[in-house]
Amino acid sequence: MKKLLTVVFAMFMTSTVYAAEPHELHVKNAAGLAEICGLSAEDARAVNAKAFCRGYLVGAYQYYDATIDPAKRFVCSPKPTPSLDEVTDGFVAWSKTHPQYMQDRAADTLFRYLAENYPCGKEQ
């Protein structure tokens, strides 16, 4: 019984640490998203940051894809479809050259980047 309590306590403490860690990742604006998406692999938050960034980008695009009438789309995925890493790295690089948008909402700026780099009507 003592071993079981020790294991349960260890699991509880571990889950508490992991549950607290994501709170370090906040997206207040486009600069925050670019920072999270661009964290180096050496950063202690890198694994969580990559997952958070991917979730944000995929979620934003899936919402757009599900809610925007096809005739009104301004972002279209080219053929071949770029990898998630390509889109993420492109967004981070683009963010560095477009500081004027970094205080805007993250989703607005993400779609500004996507519209510039993956517009509809371009060879698909």
Side-chain angles (χ1 to χ4, degrees):
M1 183 67 158
K2 190 174 184 180
K3 284 184 181 183
L4 178 61
L5 288 175
T6 303
V7 170
V8 170
F9 180 74
M11 288 172 50
F12 175 76
M13 291 307 294
T14 303
S15 66
T16 302
V17 170
Y18 286 123
E21 195 171 332
H23 296 292
E24 294 177 25
L25 304 174
H26 295 284
V27 174
K28 295 180 182 178
N29 54 30
L33 180 60
E35 179 183 347
I36 288 168
C37 291
L39 280 179
S40 71
E42 291 80 36
D43 191 296
R45 302 167 295 163
V47 172
N48 285 342
K50 186 172 186 172
F52 184 96
C53 174
R54 287 175 169 230
Y56 192 99
L57 270 59
V58 169
Y61 188 79
Q62 285 185 346
Y63 180 79
Y64 165 82
D65 193 43
T67 60
I68 301 298
D69 183 306
K72 296 180 180 179
R73 290 176 189 252
F74 58 95
V75 173
C76 293
S77 183
K79 303 288 185 234
T81 302
S83 72
L84 190 50
D85 284 338
E86 289 173 318
V87 174
T88 302
D89 293 346
F91 173 69
V92 171
W94 180 90
S95 296
K96 292 175 184 174
T97 62
H98 293 80
Q100 67 272 28
Y101 303 123
M102 293 301 103
Q103 296 309 308
D104 294 349
R105 292 186 304 187
D108 291 344
T109 302
L110 170 62
F111 277 92
R112 189 180 305 265
Y113 158 75
L114 292 172
E116 188 176 302
N117 290 275
Y118 306 107
C120 294
K122 202 174 184 182
E123 186 95 10
Q124 296 180 34

